[in-house]
């Protein structure tokens, strides 16, 4: 579990973390507490490295599959 948190930090993962922190700050400044839900969504994706990766969300094309 520790390895999951501290390895494989790519650009998209940093961007998700920055967006989560930005949403938390904006929720505090504007008192629009609904933004915290979006902040937690992006924080969850950043911490657990979920979501679309660098290759996008496409299904892998397996050229050896039976037709």
């Amino acid at each position: 579990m520790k390895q999951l948190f501290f390895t494989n930090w790519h650009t998209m993962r940093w961007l998700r973390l920055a967006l989560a922190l930005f949403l938390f700050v904006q929720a505090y400044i504007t008192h629009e507490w609904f933004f915290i839900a979006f902040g937690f969504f992006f924080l969850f994706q950043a911490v657990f490295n979920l979501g679309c990766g660098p290759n996008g969300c496409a299904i892998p094309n397996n050229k050896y599959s039976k037709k």
Side-chain angles (χ1 to χ4, degrees):
M1 190 70 147
K2 186 177 176 182
Q3 184 179 9
L4 176 68
F5 294 143
F6 295 113
T7 58
N8 197 20
W9 279 84
H10 46 81
T11 306
M12 195 63 206
R13 199 167 174 188
W14 283 108
L15 186 65
R16 288 183 190 124
L17 180 64
L19 185 59
L21 295 175
F22 173 76
L23 288 170
F24 289 143
V25 170
Q26 287 300 309
Y28 180 76
I29 290 172
T30 63
H31 299 286
E32 295 288 339
W33 305 116
F34 185 68
F35 287 124
I36 291 178
F38 292 111
F40 278 122
F41 173 74
F42 286 108
L43 182 65
F44 183 78
Q45 282 188 334
V47 169
F48 293 107
N49 198 18
L50 298 174
C52 297
N55 295 330
C57 293
I59 298 172
N61 185 8
N62 189 357
K63 62 182 177 180
Y64 299 110
S65 65
K66 294 180 182 179
K67 291 184 179 182

